[in-house]
């Protein structure tokens, strides 16, 4: 007889769920968050990146729940643009080390406030955004300064499911997790 999942397996601390409840937009860095931070160069000088499918599915689930995923990154590459297009990410700023104005512009365009935002970052350029968001997050292998300001530190490393952990937290906090899970179990 097949095993039946009757209640979701994920559990988060109640105070973390309360903090995450108002989040309507999640900002993500790329290198060290959506990827493992390694840069692979071809002989022609092209950069390749490795993305985790758990993270990608989490981003798609956020969109189904009405939570906007947005990417702000210091680099730009064809593989990154292709991956974000595949995931349906509509808000992305490429090639900027000054991430605060980019995040503010996205918030303004959507009519959202910092109190409705989460940010996952792993290094210093992400700190200004992390400090203003309602929920600051970091992969467990982030720089110590980012870990110090993070409200939520993932168990997974960047590029290895860390983004999915934040997505799951936001889905549980918003009340969409169980409903979305049940669509796969039906």
């Amino acid at each position: 007889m097949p095993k039946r999942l009757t209640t979701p397996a994920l559990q988060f601390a109640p105070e973390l769920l309360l903090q995450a409840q108002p989040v309507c937009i999640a900002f993500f860095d790329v290198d060290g968050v959506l990827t493992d931070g390694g840069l692979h160069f071809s002989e022609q000088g092209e950069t390749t990146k490795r993305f985790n499918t758990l993270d990608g599915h989490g981003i798609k689930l956020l969109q189904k729940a009405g939570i906007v995923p947005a990417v702000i990154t210091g680099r730009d590459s064809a593989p990154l643009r292709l991956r974000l297009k595949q995931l349906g990410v509509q808000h992305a700023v490429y090639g900027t080390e000054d991430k605060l104005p980019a995040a503010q512009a996205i918030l303004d365009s959507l009519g959202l406030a910092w109190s409705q935002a989460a940010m996952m970052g792993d290094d210093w350029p992400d700190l200004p955004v992390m400090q203003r968001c309602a929920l600051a997050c970091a992969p467990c292998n982030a720089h110590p300064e980012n870990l110090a300001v993070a409200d939520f530190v993932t168990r997974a490393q960047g590029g290895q499911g860390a983004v999915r952990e934040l997505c799951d937290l936001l889905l549980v906090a918003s009340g969409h997790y169980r409903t979305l899970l049940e669509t796969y179990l039906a």
Side-chain angles (χ1 to χ4, degrees):
M1 177 174 246
K3 289 186 177 183
R4 304 292 291 167
L5 186 62
T6 56
T7 60
L10 280 178
Q11 300 291 320
F12 294 100
E15 53 277 355
L16 185 60
L17 290 171
L18 284 172
Q19 188 174 359
Q21 224 168 15
V23 171
C24 298
I25 183 169
F27 292 108
F28 300 100
D29 178 36
V30 174
D31 295 323
V33 173
L34 280 167
T35 74
D36 64 8
L39 298 174
H40 308 275
F41 292 94
S42 71
E43 289 181 17
Q44 293 78 27
E46 295 173 334
T47 305
T48 61
K49 296 179 183 287
R50 179 185 168 277
F51 296 94
N52 188 293
T53 58
L54 285 173
D55 294 340
H57 190 68
I59 288 172
K60 288 180 178 182
L61 290 172
L62 283 185
Q63 294 172 19
K64 287 181 180 182
I67 299 170
V68 177
V71 170
I72 304 174
T73 179
R75 296 188 183 275
D76 190 1
S77 69
L80 171 60
R81 286 181 181 257
L82 176 61
R83 182 62 177 150
L84 295 182
K85 181 178 179 182
Q86 291 171 342
L87 295 175
V89 174
Q90 296 179 357
H91 302 279
V93 178
Y94 305 94
T96 182
E97 290 294 318
D98 193 3
K99 297 182 179 187
L100 188 59
Q104 185 66 62
I106 293 171
L107 289 173
D108 291 345
S109 74
L110 296 171
L112 297 173
W114 288 106
S115 61
Q116 297 171 289
M119 168 68 179
M120 180 175 275
D122 71 314
D123 208 347
W124 291 5
D126 306 313
L127 286 170
V129 177
M130 289 176 70
Q131 288 181 312
R132 284 166 180 79
C133 285
L135 184 68
C137 309
C140 64
N141 61 327
H143 189 278
E145 301 303 336
N146 296 70
L147 294 172
V149 301
D151 302 302
F152 177 60
V153 176
T154 64
R155 288 174 286 174
Q157 294 187 9
Q160 297 179 9
V163 166
R164 179 57 179 270
E165 288 184 38
L166 172 57
C167 293
D168 287 343
L169 166 63
L170 296 176
L171 293 170
V172 171
S174 69
H176 290 92
Y177 186 90
R178 185 181 195 121
T179 304
L180 288 168
L181 177 62
E182 287 173 354
T183 64
Y184 288 88
L185 299 175

